[in-house]
């Protein structure tokens, strides 16, 4: 259910929330992204939906806590995407520094340049704990590496572009990375 929820949320965000700054995406990127996401989605789905798969329900209390953490991270990720979308509400292409709003999920902007990636990685870590499945762990690890690269690029772009960019912010992990 969590796996399906994540991708349904992504589709809804793509249709109703995201504002893309570039009109087109290079064909090689589309092909690479499709192979990556569809390939991993199929591989993960095979393992977690296989008739012989037994979910690790040894500690139901821990499972419930991790499931709640997954939902919190998904809500945080959604909130950040909405906040980023609101920066260009008027349809302009002007880049602005994102700041926290009244929404508590956006308060991660005090410490991180790309909290949407922080929340995304948190969701996948919790999903890995819930499933205790090696392919899910590998997907989470590769996601973290890719999102760290993107977050560092965005962070250094903001630092170069804005002289008043908050110095306390790190790219993806508060106070660390």
């Amino acid at each position: 259910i969590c796996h399906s929820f994540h991708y349904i949320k992504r589709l809804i965000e793509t249709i109703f929330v995201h504002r893309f700054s570039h009109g087109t995406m290079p064909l090689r990127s589309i092909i690479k992204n499709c192979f990556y996401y569809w390939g991993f989605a199929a591989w993960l789905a095979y393992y977690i939906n296989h008739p012989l798969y037994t979910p690790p329900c040894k500690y139901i209390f821990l499972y419930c806590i991790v499931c709640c953490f997954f939902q919190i991270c998904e809500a945080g990720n959604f909130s950040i995407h909405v906040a980023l979308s609101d920066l260009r509400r008027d349809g302009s292409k002007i880049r602005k520094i994102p700041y926290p709003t009244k929404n508590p999920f956006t308060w991660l902007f005090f410490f991180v340049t790309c909290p949407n990636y922080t929340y995304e990685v948190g969701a996948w870590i919790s999903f890995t704990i819930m499933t205790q499945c090696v392919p899910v762990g590998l997907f989470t690890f590769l996601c973290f590496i890719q999102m760290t690269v993107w977050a560092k690029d965005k962070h250094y772009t903001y630092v170069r572009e804005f002289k008043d960019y908050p110095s306390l912010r790190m790219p993806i992990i508060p106070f660390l990375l």
Side-chain angles (χ1 to χ4, degrees):
I1 291 171
C2 290
H3 189 251
S4 296
F5 173 76
H6 173 78
Y7 286 105
I8 291 168
K9 178 190 77 71
R10 285 189 76 161
L11 287 172
I12 291 169
E13 286 174 349
T14 301
I15 295 167
F16 298 109
V17 177
H18 292 306
R19 298 185 194 291
F20 298 99
S21 56
H22 301 294
T24 60
M25 178 184 274
L27 184 59
R28 68 175 155 30
S29 294
I30 291 172
I31 293 170
K32 179 185 73 167
N33 288 351
C34 288
F35 273 116
Y36 177 74
Y37 284 111
W38 293 352
F40 261 116
W43 193 29
L44 301 182
Y46 173 78
Y47 278 94
I48 62 179
N49 295 307
H50 194 278
L52 297 178
Y53 174 74
T54 0
C57 292
K58 217 184 226 185
Y59 306 104
I60 195 71
F61 181 70
L62 175 64
Y63 183 82
C64 290
I65 290 172
V66 174
C67 189
C68 286
F69 185 71
F70 174 86
Q71 293 170 4
I72 289 168
C73 286
E74 289 291 320
N77 182 271
F78 179 78
S79 296
I80 296 301
H81 286 154
V82 169
L84 291 172
S85 178
D86 286 346
L87 289 176
R88 294 185 181 180
R89 175 86 36 215
D90 58 359
S92 74
K93 301 271 185 188
I94 298 170
R95 190 190 301 266
K96 300 175 188 171
I97 299 173
Y99 286 104
T101 65
K102 293 178 183 176
N103 180 342
F105 288 115
T106 65
W107 296 351
L108 204 48
F109 273 124
F110 283 120
F111 310 105
V112 176
T113 298
C114 299
N116 52 322
Y117 298 150
T118 308
Y119 283 123
E120 178 102 4
V121 169
W124 284 113
I125 288 171
S126 61
F127 189 70
T128 302
I129 294 168
M130 282 190 286
T131 60
Q132 295 184 12
C133 187
V134 172
V136 177
L138 178 62
F139 177 75
T140 301
F141 179 68
L142 292 175
C143 278
F144 175 68
I145 290 171
Q146 182 61 65
M147 287 185 228
T148 300
V149 170
W150 291 336
K152 283 182 172 184
D153 286 348
K154 186 174 282 191
H155 179 78
Y156 294 125
T157 299
Y158 279 148
V159 168
R160 276 192 314 269
E161 193 171 332
F162 300 107
K163 302 300 178 213
D164 58 339
Y165 192 72
S167 60
L168 187 61
R169 288 189 191 177
M170 299 301 283
I172 191 169
I173 300 175
F175 310 112
L176 189 62
L177 176 69

